[in-house]
Amino acid sequence: MAREGLTGSRIRERRSVAGLRQADLARSLGISASYLNLIEHNRRRIGGKLLLDIARLLNVEPSMLTEGAEAALIATLREAATSANLPASEIARADEFTGRFPAWAEVLAAGFRRISSLERTVETLSDRLTHDPHLAASVHELLSTAAAIRSTAAILADEEDLTDEWRNRFHANINEDSRRLADSSKALVEYLDAGERVEDAAASPQDELESFLSDHNYAFDEVEAGHETPDTMIAAAPSLKSNAARHMARGILERVVQDAQLVTKHRFEAALEAVGPDPVELARHLASPVSLVFRRLAGLPKLEAGLVVCDRAGSLLFRKPTAGFVIPRFGAACALWPLFAALGQPGQVIRTPLVQLGRGRAGFECYAVADVVGRPVYNQAPLVQASMLVLPNSNLGEEDVIEVGSTCGVCPRELCPGRREPSILSTGL
């Protein structure tokens, strides 16, 4: 087959390297998975806007998909050199190296792709398995119930002077705890089996919510304009299967309506044109809360901004990812330091230039603020929520920049005082 006829094969290879499922890529492109499957098997010609969209989502140059292995190989070597922080003069010699040592170039590129894939696997497993709240809660329930049964059985075995009344009570407790243990074990097995059998099974209500938000690209213009209500949109969403996910989605959509009533989209875009994307300046210009400005900025696709919201306990309530910035699904991470710092200083706006280490060196401007939410009540601690806006910035200098990793397991920063576990990237291991 001619080189130009292998574009589909290259798309399939780059998608696999990126860790994307065919269904997810097709949904992002607005085409069916079956049509993408035909493209990837070189049964449909591709070009124009669709090719450009695929290249953008796969984070590659269109030429890598159309010009063949040599162009893709050179691009991969350049990516590896950039990840290793080599100087620009060395990165520019990737063409020369590929021409003089093609076999070695293939070995290096394959190694880089393999390392990238393993890093993503470690990140996913660390985030989804180690910190899976449903699994942790289920195991805790099993252990607690087993301990209760063991304690009750020990009393029955060791105490010979128990009255019939107390003996019957203990037998009833064992019966009740045994039933609960059986039900919990069955639920846990079904949960684990579902994850093995169904590729698209959501692991938690939070996963269902994020799938719903992703399907709408985190923008709800119809709801904001009043053309659709939160309830009708939720009822029509196939990804929202559980009551918990629907409840969380309703809270987010109701917040969209409230924000639109305070600051319309047209008014916000006019302010953005006048003062730029500085959150504090926008808040002053609009006489609105900084957290509202965060949400408005995160809803503009052209800014490619990320947004994270947590409650006073540190639980993540909302996650809008942005390219190059890894946000954990559960628990804390170094990349969220500005978010958690804001919790201790409600009302203060924190600005933190941050570089996230890993496969590359991505720079971001992080803004965080914490607000008191809900109605005031006498003699009760207020409910506080913190929000962090993440704006990509590739022009950060070396001064006053915080370097963090996505997780300790894949963080290359060796002399970090906050390290909780060894890194697989450490040269000393």
Side-chain angles (χ1 to χ4, degrees):
M1 182 177 291
R3 289 176 58 187
E4 59 271 20
L6 295 174
T7 300
S9 299
R10 299 181 194 114
I11 291 174
R12 184 171 69 250
E13 178 185 1
R14 294 301 301 182
R15 176 179 59 78
S16 299
V17 170
L20 283 174
R21 293 179 301 182
Q22 193 177 73
D24 293 336
L25 179 57
R27 183 170 61 245
S28 300
L29 292 168
I31 63 176
S32 67
S34 59
Y35 185 72
L36 179 59
N37 185 61
L38 292 174
I39 291 174
E40 291 189 348
H41 286 83
N42 305 301
R43 296 177 183 174
R44 291 291 185 276
R45 296 184 65 85
I46 179 174
K49 183 178 182 300
L50 181 57
L51 177 63
L52 295 177
D53 288 343
I54 292 177
R56 175 178 54 81
L57 291 172
L58 296 178
N59 197 28
V60 299
E61 293 294 329
S63 59
M64 293 180 62
L65 304 177
T66 59
E67 294 181 5
E70 184 175 347
L73 177 59
I74 294 172
T76 302
L77 290 180
R78 287 175 178 168
E79 185 180 353
T82 302
S83 177
N85 296 321
L86 294 182
S89 58
E90 292 296 328
I91 297 176
R93 300 181 65 184
D95 297 27
E96 177 187 352
F97 181 81
T98 302
R100 295 182 61 187
F101 308 103
W104 277 109
E106 287 285 357
V107 171
L108 288 175
F112 175 73
R113 288 192 292 266
R114 179 60 176 164
I115 290 172
S116 299
S117 176
L118 290 174
E119 286 182 7
R120 280 190 294 271
T121 300
V122 171
E123 291 173 1
T124 301
L125 291 177
S126 176
D127 200 34
R128 295 295 302 276
L129 298 180
T130 306
H131 302 97
D132 187 332
H134 183 87
L135 181 59
S138 298
V139 173
H140 178 74
E141 172 71 14
L142 291 177
L143 294 177
S144 299
T145 306
I149 294 174
R150 177 69 182 86
S151 177
T152 304
I155 293 174
L156 288 173
D158 297 339
E159 297 294 335
E160 299 179 357
D161 299 331
L162 287 176
T163 64
D164 291 340
E165 178 184 358
W166 278 102
R167 192 177 298 278
N168 290 336
R169 287 185 182 182
F170 284 129
H171 283 150
N173 289 342
I174 288 180
N175 180 62
E176 181 180 347
D177 289 340
S178 298
R179 290 179 180 273
R180 190 166 76 250
L181 179 62
D183 292 340
S184 299
S185 301
K186 180 180 178 181
L188 178 58
V189 170
E190 290 176 350
Y191 171 74
L192 295 175
D193 286 347
E196 294 177 358
R197 293 193 306 267
V198 185
E199 182 181 3
D200 295 326
S204 69
Q206 186 71 32
D207 290 325
E208 297 176 26
L209 175 65
E210 291 180 7
S211 178
F212 167 71
L213 296 174
S214 179
D215 289 342
H216 293 275
N217 199 26
Y218 293 84
F220 299 93
D221 293 339
E222 294 297 315
V223 172
E224 185 172 325
H227 299 152
E228 193 168 359
T229 67
D231 286 338
T232 56
M233 178 165 282
I234 290 171
S239 56
L240 299 176
K241 300 179 178 64
S242 66
N243 289 332
R246 288 189 286 269
H247 176 79
M248 290 187 289
R250 184 173 292 104
I252 290 174
L253 294 179
E254 289 174 351
R255 175 61 64 86
V256 169
V257 174
Q258 294 170 8
D259 288 349
Q261 292 172 348
L262 293 173
V263 179
T264 64
K265 184 176 182 180
H266 177 74
R267 182 183 169 210
F268 182 80
E269 290 180 344
L272 181 63
E273 185 71 22
V275 303
D278 186 294
V280 170
E281 289 299 324
L282 283 170
R284 291 172 180 168
H285 187 86
L286 296 166
S288 300
V290 176
S291 56
L292 183 150
V293 173
F294 285 0
R295 293 191 292 272
R296 278 303 197 186
L297 289 171
L300 297 176
K302 63 181 180 181
L303 293 181
E304 299 182 347
L307 181 66
V308 192
V309 180
C310 77
D311 61 16
R312 191 171 185 175
S315 299
L316 300 190
L317 307 177
F318 181 89
R319 299 167 67 255
K320 177 184 182 294
T322 184
F325 191 89
V326 179
I327 303 174
R329 288 178 177 269
F330 314 107
C334 301
L336 300 182
W337 279 345
L339 178 72
F340 298 132
L343 281 175
Q345 307 170 74
Q348 179 177 343
V349 184
I350 297 174
R351 174 183 172 272
T352 305
L354 185 147
V355 169
Q356 193 168 62
L357 306 174
R359 291 182 295 276
R361 183 182 173 84
F364 302 91
E365 292 281 1
C366 296
Y367 302 89
V369 68
D371 296 323
V372 175
V373 299
R375 298 179 179 179
V377 179
Y378 287 114
N379 302 324
Q380 287 190 12
L383 179 62
V384 177
Q385 286 185 0
S387 305
M388 184 174 79
L389 179 73
V390 184
L391 290 175
N393 186 351
S394 58
N395 298 319
L396 290 178
E398 295 296 329
E399 298 181 359
D400 301 324
V401 172
I402 296 180
E403 293 184 339
V404 299
S406 55
T407 62
C408 285
V410 292
C411 178
R413 185 181 175 189
E414 296 185 7
L415 301 179
C416 177
R419 179 170 293 283
R420 297 180 296 275
E421 61 177 291
S423 170
I424 65 172
L425 305 179
S426 173
T427 57
L429 296 179

